[in-house]
Amino acid sequence: MLSKIIGSVVGTKNDRELKRMRRVVSKINAREAEIQALSDEQLQQKTAEFKARHQNGESLDALLPEAFAVCREASWRVNGMRHYDVQLIGGITLHEGKIAEMKTGEGKTLMGTLAMYLNAISGKGVHLVTVNDYLAARDAELNRPLFNFLGMTVGVIYSQQPPQEKIDAYQADITYGTNNEYGFDYLRDNMVFSLAEKKQRPLNFCIIDEIDSILIDEARTPLIISGQAEDSSRMYALINTIIPRLKRSKDEEANKNNEDEDFWIDEKNRQIEISEKGYEKIERFLTEVGELGENESLYSPSRLPLLAHVQAAIRAHHVFVKNVHYIVDDGEIIIVDENTGRTMPGRRWSEGLHQAVEAKENVEIQAENQTLATTTFQNYFRLYDKLSGMTGTADTEAAEFKSTYDLDVIVIPTHEPIARIDMDDQIFLTKLGKYKGIIREIKEIQAKGAPVLVGTATIEASEELSYLFDQEGIKHNVLNAKQHEREAEIIAQAGSPKAVTIATNMAGRGTDIILGGNWQSFIEDIDAVSPEEMARLKAEWQVKHDQVVAAGGLHIIGSERHESRRIDNQLRGRAGRQGDPGMSRFFLSLEDDLMRIFAGDRVVNMMRAMGLKEDEAIEHKMVSKSIENAQGKVESRDFDARKNLLKYDDVANEQRKVIYSQRDDLLAEMDLKEAIDVMHHEVYNAMIDQFIPPGSIDDQWNIDGLEDELEDEFKISMPINDWLDEDRRLDEDGLRAKIIQTALERYHTRREQMGEKDAAQLERHLMLQSLDKHWKEHLTQMDQLRKGIHLRGYAQKNPEQEYKRESFELFQMMLGAIKSETVQDLSRVHIPTKEELEALEAQQRENAAQMQMQFEHNDVDNLDSNAGAAQPPAQNRNQAAGAAAAGMTAGAAGANASASAAGENPYAGMHISRNAPCPCGSGLKYKQCHGKI
């Protein structure tokens, strides 16, 4: 209440920001006459003048009024479009590193050119991020004439782009591309073997179009570059045959008490709970087919991968739905983005889920993949010096943008008042009744001559409606993931009189629906159009436009509420652009997922008590309020999942920065001799500690073991016993120094034999090879640790703190392993000829080029440490099921399966020789047992 009173007196924070920016707009407008008086040549010379002034110390903030005025005038001369004052406010917002929320149709694409031009003056590069390749290419071509006129270069990045073309695109003043491609290029740049192969410059300024879609909806989707791992397709096919034998419970209590039911799915949290009988049934089947021994349990450490396969298969059959979460196209499973309704070719779910879906749909099961490099959009975009974004719907997520990215949201007023009328929701008892209500509404709208856009949440729903429309004789177009090739054509005419268009989620479509249809689309494929023909088409369009305006504009019908209010607002925002009239209404039923899972019994009972018929609806504020509360719960749950992912990835991100920084230093350093010498000291000291404990007496020394270890690990023979016999005064420190000095002298001699240049090349190659190998293995360990870390809560420990502690220990072990392996390789390596070195480099580049790289789309629910893992019914099974949730992949279990599954090495930090017997008493060498990474 107090905040409302204060807001009414001094205005909200948004009001105060807009007031401040309007003063800057006044300065821009004050320069308009002066800039208009310039010739084209004088206007173009302004860019060079701005660059010189900036290099001489003038800030971009100081240049803003004049630079924006120049950009606006250039846009008018080149494209015939002049920025409105509200677009200037939006440009200021972007330049200041904030999010500009502008309604659909207000001209975000044009608005962005202002901040892009100003920030490109610094010469450090500007990145514009879009949600798909089509929009990146379209926007680049749309704005290229303007930027070229102003002396700026424009580049576009895309998948499978030739290396030199991509380097040129990144060197341009302004670069367009998708969030996926920017992220992948960052990861790929940190896998190259020379600085010349890196594509990106230091990350300077970034504008993200549809920022809520990328930084909120896709934030739980890590970018993963992966290589093929062990093929376990036979196991996926085998486990797939079990699932039809398992019976799903209706609720949690039934799952516990009914002996005939095997598992239950918590739809709110998407968790799976398998009953005792369910586990026993699965174990019996696996025993029958020979995958489990007679007395073997599904929880034995070596069988944990089997449990992970079962969980993935249950999710594939009962959580992931065809034509909702994926489609089958030409024998391939293609993921559908739930937020945009677009297909995502090339992406794959991880955790074996994609293979389980392939088995379910009886298509070829592709091999699993091993992570080579990974990051999240959250951490990638926080690397930019300045980040900003624009969208039509960000204010509902303002708190998350602030807490996660330190980004403020500024709501930009519309150029013309919004004339769209948003009607109350209509709620029906059944889905069929709802569809009848939609058909009735469409016929009434068509009778007036207005166009209709029907929004659906899934492909399945769009096809159901399409079938019913055909039955009713309603002519229509369908826009979903299966018809995405016709997207531009369908959207272009969706505003024609009486047009009916069914579309899945409209986020990021990037094309406005013009009332009366888009007359210019008719002439795009014609080489030459006469002025008379153009005038005739435009006149015909004007008649249609006026007809649609008189009929109330574009009518939006939502066939159900989405889990996020932003998606609903994006659909509504398609109507009412630039002051156009429009109407929107959502039609719901008690059978909709959101209503069924979240709305609550009170609403359902109230509607049933009213005795409504199937095709009768109610409009009630209490129901609308319940729906909003349900959406709020889902948004809160998703925010927690994203926050949880970021919390754990922040740990990995700090390690990633260290490794990538070391990698850059390796690539840039001309002479590694000094670093290699330091490594020799560290590695040999660690080895000597195992046989000559620091501060010990000579009776405790194991000199024979030390000599054998030096020979075995480093192929260096040292007569240490003879040295001690010859010099009785040789103490611990003296002996250490002599051993290390001997090793260094041998290394320096070998280095001289190779020659300075070849030695440096070999050192760099071996260090990079070791670093990349151990970093890849470390990522796998971190992934397994994260999946099982929530089990520490049972031991009254803080999982987050435990994760930080253990990941640090793993990181220290990894750094030690990199140093040890590098010194070993340099000691044991055959000294190659110059020709052999050149062949080695060529082979390395060929291998890198042929490496199978693909984007894995993580099952977002598994990213929450408590979500997605099958939870056993009793405490004694919690430990084992949690270990299974730790995500051990098929084939990962071996002699040290128990230690690997728990993600722990009890001897971590001890200086144990890799070839020494493992202290656990297994009889194996340490490197083959607990020391195995």
Side-chain angles (χ1 to χ4, degrees):
M1 180 63 72
L2 181 61
S3 61
K4 287 183 179 179
I5 295 171
I6 295 172
S8 64
V9 176
V10 300
T12 64
K13 182 184 178 185
N14 197 80
D15 294 335
R16 295 194 296 275
E17 286 291 295
L18 291 175
K19 187 176 180 181
R20 175 182 63 81
M21 291 182 191
R22 285 193 175 100
R23 291 196 289 270
V24 181
V25 170
S26 298
K27 294 179 182 178
I28 299 168
N29 290 333
R31 290 182 172 274
E32 186 165 19
E34 168 196 342
I35 300 299
Q36 283 176 341
L38 299 175
S39 65
D40 284 358
E41 186 178 351
Q42 289 172 321
L43 191 64
Q44 290 171 315
Q45 289 172 353
K46 278 290 183 180
T47 300
E49 177 193 322
F50 292 150
K51 287 182 177 180
R53 285 162 58 182
H54 182 59
Q55 287 173 357
N56 290 331
E58 193 168 349
S59 70
L60 294 179
D61 290 342
L63 290 171
L64 187 150
E66 192 174 356
F68 274 29
V70 165
C71 186
R72 178 165 67 177
E73 179 62 24
S75 175
W76 175 248
R77 296 188 190 186
V78 175
N79 296 327
M81 293 188 287
R82 178 184 178 277
H83 299 79
Y84 299 131
D85 282 2
V86 290
Q87 289 173 312
L88 296 179
I89 292 173
I92 296 166
T93 301
L94 296 178
H95 166 68
E96 292 181 351
K98 298 183 174 78
I99 297 172
E101 179 184 294
M102 292 186 75
K103 300 300 179 189
T104 300
E106 289 294 303
K108 290 189 286 290
T109 305
L110 183 63
M111 173 192 74
T113 58
L114 297 162
M116 292 161 73
Y117 171 65
L118 175 62
N119 283 270
I121 287 168
S122 69
K124 296 178 182 178
V126 172
H127 291 173
L128 191 286
V129 184
T130 67
V131 292
N132 59 60
D133 289 323
Y134 162 72
L135 289 177
R138 186 203 71 174
D139 291 356
E141 291 310 308
L142 193 67
N143 292 321
R144 191 187 300 274
L146 167 62
F147 290 129
N148 287 351
F149 177 85
L150 290 168
M152 297 287 184
T153 54
V154 177
V156 182
I157 61 164
Y158 55 89
S159 182
Q160 306 299 319
Q161 191 172 15
Q164 190 54 50
E165 185 182 325
K166 180 161 279 186
I167 290 173
D168 293 341
Y170 274 116
Q171 289 298 318
D173 294 307
I174 293 159
T175 307
Y176 285 81
T178 65
N179 49 317
N180 290 337
E181 201 59 24
Y182 282 117
F184 279 140
D185 285 339
Y186 165 70
L187 293 176
R188 283 189 284 253
D189 273 359
N190 286 288
M191 297 173 71
V192 299
F193 291 93
S194 72
L195 288 174
E197 295 174 73
K198 296 194 89 167
K199 311 294 190 301
Q200 291 184 342
R201 293 191 278 172
L203 303 175
N204 173 45
F205 175 55
C206 172
I207 300 175
I208 304 178
D209 194 8
E210 304 296 346
I211 190 169
D212 54 334
S213 178
I214 291 172
L215 292 192
I216 300 293
D217 298 333
E218 295 197 43
R220 291 176 292 165
T221 306
L223 285 164
I224 300 173
I225 289 183
S226 57
Q228 207 168 78
E230 183 179 338
D231 184 12
S232 53
S233 55
R234 183 193 66 81
M235 184 59 66
Y236 284 105
L238 176 66
I239 298 295
N240 187 63
T241 62
I242 301 178
I243 308 305
R245 305 184 184 192
L246 303 179
K247 189 174 179 182
R248 177 176 175 176
S249 301
K250 292 181 180 179
D251 56 54
E252 188 173 9
E253 284 305 312
N255 189 49
K256 290 178 180 176
N257 302 324
N258 192 326
E259 294 186 357
D260 295 329
E261 296 178 340
D262 303 308
F263 69 92
W264 171 68
I265 295 176
D266 177 358
E267 292 189 89
K268 282 188 181 181
N269 299 306
R270 295 185 182 179
Q271 289 184 351
I272 300 168
E273 186 175 296
I274 303 176
S275 68
E276 286 284 355
K277 288 291 181 183
Y279 278 114
E280 290 172 6
K281 189 182 289 188
I282 294 164
E283 286 175 349
R284 274 200 309 273
F285 175 82
L286 292 171
T287 302
E288 288 171 13
V289 296
E291 291 299 328
L292 275 180
E294 282 296 333
N295 298 314
E296 208 171 10
S297 165
L298 197 56
Y299 301 109
S300 58
S302 62
R303 293 305 183 211
L304 289 176
L306 282 176
L307 188 53
H309 280 302
V310 172
Q311 292 167 359
I314 293 175
R315 295 174 68 76
H317 277 265
H318 294 279
V319 178
F320 287 79
V321 182
K322 184 179 177 181
N323 290 337
V324 176
H325 302 102
Y326 65 90
I327 61 172
V328 181
D329 183 26
D330 194 24
E332 187 178 357
I333 302 298
I334 309 292
I335 297 172
V336 175
D337 188 327
E338 292 183 56
N339 301 299
T340 66
R342 296 177 184 276
T343 55
M344 299 185 287
R347 296 195 191 184
R348 294 178 66 80
W349 288 301
S350 65
E351 317 298 329
L353 176 63
H354 210 98
Q355 286 79 6
V357 174
E358 288 169 334
K360 167 191 169 184
E361 297 294 344
N362 199 27
V363 301
E364 182 184 353
I365 301 172
Q366 299 181 28
E368 292 182 65
N369 296 295
Q370 181 180 19
T371 300
L372 304 179
T374 179
T375 188
T376 59
F377 287 128
Q378 292 161 312
N379 275 319
Y380 170 69
F381 284 111
R382 292 195 300 183
L383 293 172
Y384 281 87
D385 291 338
K386 184 164 65 174
L387 178 66
S388 64
M390 48 192 182
T391 181
T393 48
D395 198 39
T396 56
E397 311 293 344
E400 182 169 352
F401 279 122
K402 185 64 178 176
S403 64
T404 303
Y405 305 100
D406 195 25
L407 288 171
D408 290 315
V409 176
I410 303 296
V411 181
I412 313 295
T414 56
H415 178 59
E416 298 284 350
I418 295 176
R420 185 186 70 243
I421 300 170
D422 296 326
M423 309 289 285
D424 289 334
D425 298 348
Q426 287 199 353
I427 300 98
F428 295 78
L429 280 174
T430 66
K431 186 182 288 187
L432 185 59
K434 175 182 71 174
Y435 286 164
K436 287 179 180 178
I438 289 174
I439 290 169
R440 194 164 53 237
E441 181 91 351
I442 288 174
K443 288 181 176 179
E444 291 176 7
I445 295 169
Q446 280 192 316
K448 294 190 297 183
V452 185
L453 175 67
V454 183
T456 67
T458 64
I459 301 168
E460 190 175 40
S462 69
E463 292 180 341
E464 285 176 358
L465 275 171
S466 179
Y467 173 78
L468 292 173
F469 285 6
D470 285 337
Q471 300 298 305
E472 293 289 330
I474 298 174
K475 191 177 178 183
H476 63 281
N477 282 311
V478 180
L479 176 56
N480 61 29
K482 294 183 177 180
Q483 286 87 23
H484 60 91
E485 296 90 352
R486 297 180 55 226
E487 177 176 320
E489 174 192 341
I490 292 172
I491 290 293
Q493 303 311 323
S496 301
K498 298 187 179 183
V500 177
T501 307
I502 302 173
T504 50
N505 301 354
M506 295 295 293
R509 294 289 176 194
T511 306
D512 290 329
I513 297 174
I514 299 172
L515 300 189
N518 188 344
W519 67 274
Q520 291 178 318
S521 68
F522 292 117
I523 62 174
E524 285 177 353
D525 298 327
I526 305 174
D527 293 332
V529 182
S530 66
E532 294 78 16
E533 180 70 6
M534 193 173 291
R536 184 185 66 79
L537 288 170
K538 194 169 184 180
E540 287 180 0
W541 168 80
Q542 189 64 53
V543 173
K544 293 178 181 177
H545 174 77
D546 294 343
Q547 180 185 345
V548 170
V549 169
L554 178 66
H555 286 54
I556 303 292
I557 291 178
S559 66
E560 66 181 279
R561 286 280 193 169
H562 297 82
E563 289 188 346
S564 169
R565 288 169 293 174
R566 286 184 303 102
I567 310 295
D568 291 343
N569 291 339
Q570 286 166 354
L571 177 60
R572 275 201 167 113
R574 294 292 154 183
R577 60 184 292 279
Q578 289 292 337
D580 286 342
M583 189 278 288
S584 73
R585 188 198 294 274
F586 280 85
F587 287 72
L588 317 176
S589 84
L590 296 184
E591 295 177 350
D592 293 347
D593 287 343
L594 189 74
M595 295 287 289
R596 181 171 55 82
I597 299 170
F598 292 100
D601 295 335
R602 186 177 163 209
V603 175
V604 175
N605 294 335
M606 182 194 77
M607 288 193 62
R608 294 198 187 282
M610 293 174 69
L612 294 175
K613 294 179 182 178
E614 183 182 62
D615 59 349
E616 289 181 335
I618 64 164
E619 296 177 22
H620 199 285
K621 287 185 178 179
M622 188 194 85
V623 180
S624 299
K625 189 70 176 174
S626 295
I627 294 165
E628 286 180 16
N629 290 339
Q631 289 176 311
K633 288 176 186 175
V634 178
E635 289 167 5
S636 177
R637 182 197 68 188
D638 290 344
F639 178 31
D640 288 342
R642 290 188 291 268
K643 195 163 59 174
N644 188 65
L645 169 67
L646 185 62
K647 197 164 51 179
Y648 287 99
D649 192 62
D650 278 344
V651 178
N653 194 48
E654 291 305 313
Q655 297 179 1
R656 187 184 301 119
K657 287 178 181 177
V658 171
I659 290 295
Y660 286 175
S661 174
Q662 288 190 358
R663 218 177 177 283
D664 285 344
D665 290 345
L666 271 176
L667 293 173
E669 192 67 49
M670 296 301 296
D671 185 3
L672 297 172
K673 182 174 176 293
E674 187 176 327
I676 297 291
D677 283 357
V678 171
M679 279 189 196
H680 273 75
H681 278 275
E682 293 180 5
V683 171
Y684 277 93
N685 264 319
M687 174 182 281
I688 293 168
D689 283 348
Q690 297 174 46
F691 300 92
I692 305 178
S696 62
I697 59 174
D698 54 6
D699 286 347
Q700 296 174 293
W701 297 358
N702 180 4
I703 301 303
D704 290 340
L706 180 56
E707 287 182 348
D708 291 343
E709 187 75 358
L710 288 167
E711 176 65 39
D712 191 30
E713 293 288 315
F714 301 107
K715 296 300 179 190
I716 182 169
S717 179
M718 292 192 193
I720 302 175
N721 276 313
D722 294 345
W723 294 346
L724 291 169
D725 290 340
E726 292 167 7
D727 187 357
R728 291 292 179 182
R729 293 174 300 172
L730 199 58
D731 60 6
E732 180 193 330
D733 291 339
L735 184 57
R736 280 177 183 273
K738 190 173 180 70
I739 292 171
I740 294 171
Q741 186 59 35
T742 304
L744 280 172
E745 285 173 358
R746 176 177 180 267
Y747 163 66
H748 292 156
T749 301
R750 288 164 62 82
R751 203 173 189 281
E752 288 172 10
Q753 290 175 318
M754 281 187 276
E756 189 71 28
K757 184 178 178 183
D758 290 345
Q761 191 176 351
L762 180 65
E763 288 165 352
R764 181 173 290 103
H765 166 78
L766 290 176
M767 284 188 71
L768 285 172
Q769 180 177 271
S770 180
L771 186 146
D772 289 346
K773 171 189 157 190
H774 287 289
W775 175 241
K776 176 181 69 176
E777 292 169 347
H778 180 71
L779 288 174
T780 301
Q781 279 192 307
M782 290 280 284
D783 196 38
Q784 292 180 354
L785 175 64
R786 180 183 58 76
K787 289 172 197 162
I789 200 68
H790 66 280
L791 294 174
R792 305 299 169 86
Y794 294 127
Q796 305 300 311
K797 293 181 179 179
N798 184 323
E800 185 183 349
Q801 292 302 321
E802 289 291 295
Y803 180 78
K804 288 180 179 179
R805 181 183 62 78
E806 291 203 26
S807 62
F808 177 74
E809 290 174 1
L810 288 172
F811 190 66
Q812 292 296 105
M813 286 178 64
M814 179 196 68
L815 293 178
I818 291 170
K819 294 172 185 175
S820 180
E821 187 171 281
T822 302
V823 172
Q824 280 184 17
D825 288 345
L826 286 171
S827 301
R828 300 157 67 104
V829 74
H830 159 70
I831 299 175
T833 63
K834 182 178 180 181
E835 291 74 16
E836 287 172 330
L837 272 174
E838 290 173 352
L840 185 69
E841 282 290 314
Q843 182 63 45
Q844 188 181 66
R845 292 181 191 283
E846 185 179 341
N847 291 344
Q850 292 178 350
M851 185 186 299
Q852 178 188 351
M853 293 180 180
Q854 62 187 27
F855 180 48
E856 290 189 4
H857 189 83
N858 265 36
D859 171 10
V860 295
D861 305 303
N862 277 342
L863 295 173
D864 184 342
S865 63
N866 293 309
Q871 297 300 317
Q875 181 66 27
N876 65 319
R877 291 191 183 265
N878 271 336
Q879 303 288 338
M888 207 168 181
T889 56
N896 62 325
S898 179
S900 297
E904 295 181 343
N905 177 0
Y907 313 110
M910 298 183 187
H911 296 297
I912 303 170
S913 167
R914 285 163 52 78
N915 288 300
C918 187
C920 73
S922 64
L924 297 172
K925 288 187 177 182
Y926 180 68
K927 66 183 180 183
Q928 294 168 334
C929 191
H930 280 84
K932 186 176 181 181
I933 298 180

